[in-house]
């Protein structure tokens, strides 16, 4: 996907969000971040470092630690790696207007799968989210949706 869509949606003269992608930012171990985004609808943006960007999903409800609870995860545009450190206010009238705060952050290990296969199993090492989580793609009325599910460790 790349960052074209990310850049297209934002006016960097108005939003404090980071503009560029820098390769030097790439971490030794891939990172994940969950940003609580209090926008028109409160949601949690779940992002994982992959292929030089942050692959991203909007999770309408707080990610669960209970394997019995499935969370809907709606794919959103790739974000630059710098975005993992972003917290702040996106001004009114701008894309995603509202407050962004880091809810959890850490590293992860990919245990299996790929974006293209529509299934990823990740071992998360965050402060709140720990252990095996799966992200699984399904289609509903031609719309691409994913589920974020805690797996038994
Ligand atoms: Mn968001």
């Amino acid at each position: 996907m790349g960052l074209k869509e990310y850049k297209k949606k934002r006016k960097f003269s108005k939003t404090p969000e980071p503009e560029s992608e820098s390769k030097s930012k790439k971490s030794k171990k891939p990172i994940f971040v969950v940003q609580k985004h209090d926008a028109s609808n409160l949601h949690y943006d779940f992002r994982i470092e992959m292929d030089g960007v942050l692959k991203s999903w909007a999770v309408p409800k707080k990610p669960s630690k209970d394997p019995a609870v499935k969370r809907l995860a709606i794919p959103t545009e790739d974000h630059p790696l710098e975005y993992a450190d972003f917290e702040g206010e996106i001004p009114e009238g701008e894309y995603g207007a509202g407050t962004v705060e880091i809810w959890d952050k850490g590293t992860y290990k990919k245990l299996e799968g790929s974006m293209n296969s529509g299934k990823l199993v990740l071992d998360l090492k965050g402060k709140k989210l720990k252990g095996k989580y799966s992200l699984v793609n399904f289609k509903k009325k031609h719309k691409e949706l994913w589920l974020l599910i805690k797996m038994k460790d």
Side-chain angles (χ1 to χ4, degrees):
M1 198 191 276
L3 296 172
K4 238 172 96 180
E5 205 181 328
Y6 174 84
K7 289 178 179 171
K8 205 169 78 188
K9 284 181 169 170
R10 292 169 174 82
K11 293 193 281 296
F12 295 102
S13 56
K14 300 240 170 93
T15 180
E17 295 166 292
E19 180 172 5
S20 66
E21 87 194 277
S22 84
K23 298 280 184 243
S24 61
K25 190 79 188 164
K26 199 171 181 295
S27 18
K28 263 195 198 128
K29 285 182 182 171
I31 56 128
F32 82 95
V33 65
V34 183
Q35 280 152 322
K36 186 177 174 183
H37 188 180
D38 195 357
S40 49
N41 291 301
L42 175 69
H43 60 273
Y44 294 78
D45 287 303
F46 185 86
R47 312 187 198 279
I48 58 172
E49 178 180 355
M50 197 174 268
D51 304 328
V53 294
L54 294 171
K55 297 288 174 193
S56 300
W57 293 262
V59 181
K61 287 181 180 171
K62 193 185 283 185
S64 177
K65 296 162 198 169
D66 179 353
V69 178
K70 295 179 173 73
R71 287 291 187 238
L72 191 64
I74 302 150
T76 58
E77 74 275 18
D78 292 349
H79 279 51
L81 296 181
E82 285 92 337
Y83 208 94
D85 298 320
F86 176 71
E87 289 190 298
E89 290 280 338
I90 301 169
E92 237 177 273
E94 299 311 304
Y95 179 72
T99 310
V100 176
E101 67 179 72
I102 295 171
W103 182 79
D104 198 17
K105 194 179 172 186
T107 59
Y108 78 93
K109 193 176 164 194
K110 193 185 82 180
L111 300 177
E112 57 180 272
S114 66
M115 289 296 293
N116 287 342
S117 75
K119 189 182 177 184
L120 286 164
V121 179
L122 312 172
D123 184 19
L124 302 181
K125 293 178 175 71
K127 290 201 174 87
K128 294 189 175 99
L129 302 183
K130 298 175 205 281
K132 266 160 75 176
Y133 278 79
S134 67
L135 273 159
V136 187
N137 183 212
F138 69 103
K139 290 208 165 57
K140 198 176 180 185
K141 289 180 182 165
H142 308 294
K143 209 180 164 203
E144 193 194 355
L145 300 168
W146 294 63
L147 289 172
L148 175 66
I149 311 163
K150 176 75 183 82
M151 294 173 84
K152 288 190 181 116
D153 291 294

